[in-house]
C-alpha cells in the first residue's frame, strides 16, 4: 500500500461517488496514468470495484482498511 492508495480510498470514501482516474487525478496530486495503475492493484486486493470501464468505487473491505480494521499485510497481493 502506498500513500497514493490511501488518498484514492479516502477520496472514494469521502465522496461516496463512483469516480474515474481522471476525476481522481483532478482532486489529488497524482497523474491519471499512475492512478489507473494503483486502482488496478486496489481492485486486485478487493479494496475497490470497477463498476464500468474506468469507473471505480470503494468496497466494504476498502472501508475496513481505512477504519483500521484491516492491516495492509492482511491483503492479498
Amino acid at each position: 500500500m502506498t500513500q497514493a492508495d490511501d488518498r484514492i480510498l479516502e477520496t472514494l470514501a469521502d465522496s461516496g461517488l463512483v469516480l474515474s482516474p481522471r476525476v481522481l487525478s483532478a482532486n489529488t496530486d497524482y497523474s491519471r496514468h499512475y492512478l489507473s495503475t494503483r486502482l488496478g492493484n486496489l481492485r486486485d486486493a478487493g479494496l475497490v470495484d470497477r463498476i464500468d470501464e474506468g469507473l471505480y468505487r470503494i468496497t466494504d473491505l476498502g472501508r475496513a482498511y481505512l477504519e483500521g480494521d484491516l492491516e495492509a499485510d492482511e491483503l492479498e497481493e
Side-chain angles (χ1 to χ4, degrees):
M1 296 293 289
T2 67
Q3 183 178 9
D5 295 338
D6 291 343
R7 284 287 303 278
I8 291 167
L9 293 173
E10 290 165 357
T11 302
L12 288 169
D14 291 347
S15 72
L17 300 172
V18 174
L19 301 176
S20 69
R22 183 173 186 213
V23 171
L24 285 164
S25 178
N27 290 285
T28 64
D29 296 327
Y30 302 101
S31 73
R32 182 185 56 80
H33 177 70
Y34 180 69
L35 291 174
S36 293
T37 300
R38 297 312 310 161
L39 282 161
N41 292 346
L42 292 171
R43 181 178 170 213
D44 291 344
L47 300 175
V48 299
D49 281 332
R50 189 174 85 182
I51 304 308
D52 200 356
E53 187 67 34
L55 295 174
Y56 297 86
R57 73 172 165 213
I58 192 168
T59 63
D60 290 339
L61 193 63
R63 290 183 194 286
Y65 170 78
L66 284 179
E67 293 170 3
D69 296 332
L70 178 68
E71 297 296 323
D73 60 357
E74 297 177 70
L75 300 171
E76 292 184 26
E77 292 295 323

